[in-house]
Amino acid sequence: MTQGTPITPDDRARLDQVFMQVVLDVQAQAQQTAPAQAGNLAAMFHKETVSDALQGCAMLIAGWNQGRVDTPGLTRTAKALRALNLPDLAARIEKLKHIADA
């Protein structure tokens, strides 16, 4: 069962560079964040949250390669970005659901 917004092959070819630029930017910015507090526990939770963001991006790329914007990947990535205090980036990633509407 596939979950997500279908993307036609023509839209995928036309929008591939934009989609990948957004996802790669999200990955880079998530990896550049630092824990909100000092200490091992904060570092552990931060690492886990960054990992969630990166896994969500991987799900988005896999879905894109299958011709869809993966809804679970989108949700996972946005949730992790908000936890990393990157709400603008979360909103940007959520807009990918409507990428073919442009």
Side-chain angles (χ1 to χ4, degrees):
M1 177 182 204
T2 60
Q3 295 180 338
T5 305
I7 302 294
T8 67
D10 287 346
D11 282 341
R12 187 170 167 253
R14 179 175 59 92
L15 299 167
D16 189 63
Q17 186 174 357
V18 173
F19 182 90
M20 291 305 297
Q21 184 177 357
V22 171
V23 173
L24 293 174
D25 187 44
V26 165
Q27 289 176 327
Q29 288 195 47
Q31 289 176 316
Q32 292 173 8
T33 60
Q37 299 175 344
N40 291 338
L41 190 59
M44 181 184 75
F45 280 113
H46 178 261
K47 183 177 179 180
E48 187 175 308
T49 305
V50 170
S51 179
D52 275 348
L54 297 178
Q55 288 173 10
C57 286
M59 292 167 68
L60 284 168
I61 292 169
W64 185 252
N65 289 336
Q66 294 173 0
R68 62 187 163 80
V69 177
D70 187 79
T71 301
L74 200 70
T75 302
R76 183 177 193 164
T77 305
K79 181 179 177 185
L81 292 171
R82 285 191 176 88
L84 292 169
N85 200 26
L86 297 170
D88 293 344
L89 210 52
R92 186 174 173 204
I93 204 84
E94 288 173 330
K95 288 180 184 175
L96 289 178
K97 186 171 187 173
H98 303 289
I99 191 169
D101 298 345

